[in-house]
Amino acid sequence: MNSLVDIKSMTLEELTTWLKDQGEPAFRARQVFQWLYRGVTSFEEMTNLSKPLRQKLVETALLAPPQVARRQMSQQDGTVKYLWRLRDGSCVESVLMRYQHGNTVCISCQVGCRMGCAFCASTIAGKVRDLTPAEMLDQVLFTQIDSGAPVSNIVLMGIGEPLDNFDTVLRFLTLVNHPDGLNIGMRHISLSTCGLVEQIDKLAQYELQLTLSVSLHAPDDETRSKIMPVNRSVGVEKLLETCRRYFEKTGRRISYEYAMIDGVNDADWQADLLAKRLRGAPAHVNLIPLNQVEESPLKPSRRVAAFQKRLEGHGVTVTVRRRLGGDIDASCGQLRRRAMREEQ
């Protein structure tokens, strides 16, 4: 089983080389590539391939579509939460969100997460493993197929830290961008990170036109280090310096995510300090009403509007994330945690 080749994680060029090594003409690679991105679940569905080639693919190549372990649909706004079961039995989550400008899917990049952020359900049981490029692609592809809703935007903000699975994420971006694949442009993709500074610098070198979202959640080291362990080795100032370098290299404005937590990061002085730290750098602050996590003592802030007004008074561009899927387990990691508890 482990010897099967993961062709869905290959670029078209790699697939061409691999098939040529199997004695197949180059044009077959594009046919196979296009079938993969139509969401086929078996090689038998690739009807314009010869029977011998289809049999050869069955024997040598991996095609392992995820199974829908659970599906929740919001009666309020049509948001759909998926829990996907992967071929090894691991589960990850995706969320389909419907907006006026199109449909966005939020996908996972790891099974679990090792970053330990206090407000996040994804990290409670730690990291199990990285996803493959194919497993990331399949979340987009099969969300689209199952829901019947064409996906125009992707957010890498599900379970896991994208920059902790750097090479896989980079390959996923290349594949999802391919004109013979899903053909989703970089400007329609947002990547969220808790702030791995070396990896942000590394990402900047590729000058991708995606949106980098940095999970900041506090402007001061004392608060941020309490709720985000990653800050203890970095610090807010160093992180923001790295973000400035990223903007200088790519020309892309950074979005700062800020989960509003009652009595922790929602004071006026923290709004003032945040505005001061972001001064002079093109930035957008996205305030996120905290989703209550059962295992966490942290509570949603009651000062979102006041905090927003304070930031705007300093000239900061601020939005408050619209809460979608309020009647389902739409916040990241919750559905997986629920399934894990029930299976124990």
Side-chain angles (χ1 to χ4, degrees):
M1 189 174 179
N2 290 333
S3 60
L4 295 176
V5 178
D6 183 10
I7 59 172
K8 203 167 192 171
S9 290
M10 288 182 176
T11 63
L12 179 56
E13 293 72 25
E14 289 166 341
L15 186 56
T16 303
T17 301
W18 183 74
L19 281 168
K20 282 170 82 173
D21 289 345
Q22 309 284 317
E24 297 294 332
F27 74 88
R28 288 294 188 203
R30 191 174 297 276
Q31 290 177 322
V32 172
F33 193 82
Q34 289 172 338
W35 276 116
L36 292 173
Y37 285 83
R38 287 180 203 168
V40 294
T41 57
S42 75
F43 292 113
E44 285 306 308
E45 294 173 57
M46 300 183 176
T47 49
N48 60 352
L49 306 184
S50 67
K51 278 194 174 179
L53 175 54
R54 277 182 270 167
Q55 185 56 38
K56 191 186 296 182
L57 289 171
V58 169
E59 293 166 5
T60 58
L62 176 67
L63 191 59
Q67 304 301 310
V68 177
R70 301 196 179 193
R71 181 198 295 104
Q72 294 181 339
M73 178 178 279
S74 169
Q75 299 306 306
Q76 295 173 359
D77 51 42
T79 297
V80 187
K81 182 71 174 271
Y82 288 97
L83 185 70
W84 301 107
R85 193 174 302 282
L86 308 177
R87 65 190 283 260
D88 66 351
S90 297
C91 288
V92 292
E93 296 177 0
S94 308
V95 184
L96 175 74
M97 297 165 285
R98 303 171 196 269
Y99 296 98
Q100 285 185 332
H101 62 263
N103 300 312
T104 295
V105 64
C106 178
I107 66 167
S108 300
C109 61
Q110 294 175 318
V111 180
C113 182
R114 62 176 177 172
M115 295 299 143
C117 298
F119 46 82
C120 183
S122 300
T123 196
I124 290 168
K127 176 186 164 183
V128 178
R129 68 172 176 88
D130 290 327
L131 295 187
T132 65
E135 288 170 330
M136 293 183 66
L137 279 167
D138 279 346
Q139 292 173 69
V140 182
L141 194 53
F142 287 99
T143 293
Q144 195 167 242
I145 290 169
D146 184 82
S147 67
V151 169
S152 54
N153 299 276
I154 299 171
V155 182
L156 277 68
M157 201 186 283
I159 295 171
E161 162 57 57
L163 297 186
D164 190 39
N165 190 11
F166 191 92
D167 293 337
T168 289
V169 166
L170 213 62
R171 177 170 286 250
F172 162 78
L173 292 170
T174 300
L175 292 171
V176 83
N177 194 224
H178 198 285
D180 284 322
L182 290 172
N183 196 26
I184 294 177
M186 287 292 174
R187 288 175 181 265
H188 293 270
I189 299 173
S190 179
L191 184 154
S192 177
T193 177
C194 66
L196 305 184
V197 293
E198 290 178 9
Q199 302 294 62
I200 292 173
D201 278 332
K202 189 175 171 184
L203 182 66
Q205 301 311 307
Y206 292 89
E207 298 188 45
L208 301 175
Q209 291 299 291
L210 52 71
T211 297
L212 183 67
S213 295
V214 174
S215 295
L216 190 59
H217 305 310
D220 60 295
D221 283 332
E222 185 183 354
T223 305
R224 194 168 193 264
S225 294
K226 278 180 190 169
I227 59 175
M228 300 184 73
V230 68
N231 194 70
R232 294 166 197 166
S233 60
V234 177
V236 174
E237 284 191 41
K238 185 177 179 183
L239 172 57
L240 294 178
E241 283 169 18
T242 306
C243 291
R244 284 191 178 88
R245 284 197 301 275
Y246 182 90
F247 170 74
E248 287 163 10
K249 181 71 175 170
T250 65
R252 300 288 291 163
R253 182 183 74 166
I254 290 174
S255 177
Y256 293 96
E257 308 289 324
Y258 201 100
M260 296 293 294
I261 308 169
D262 188 48
V264 175
N265 65 353
D266 59 351
D268 283 347
W269 71 265
Q270 287 166 316
D272 296 341
L273 180 56
L274 177 59
K276 182 181 176 183
R277 290 204 186 282
L278 296 181
R279 194 167 293 140
H284 166 252
V285 175
N286 188 21
L287 300 180
I288 305 169
L290 185 75
N291 280 300
Q292 186 78 50
V293 173
E294 203 174 300
E295 294 92 339
S296 172
L298 302 177
K299 305 294 181 195
S301 172
R302 294 160 291 182
R303 300 196 70 247
V304 177
F307 201 87
Q308 178 184 13
K309 189 174 180 182
R310 191 99 180 177
L311 285 173
E312 287 173 342
H314 290 291
V316 177
T317 304
V318 189
T319 52
V320 176
R321 182 186 292 171
R322 185 161 65 97
R323 189 154 187 258
L324 295 174
D327 55 334
I328 60 173
D329 294 315
S331 96
C332 193
Q334 287 187 330
L335 189 54
R336 176 171 172 261
R337 287 292 296 159
R338 186 190 296 268
M340 286 167 69
R341 282 198 302 269
E342 290 174 4
E343 288 171 7
Q344 282 170 359

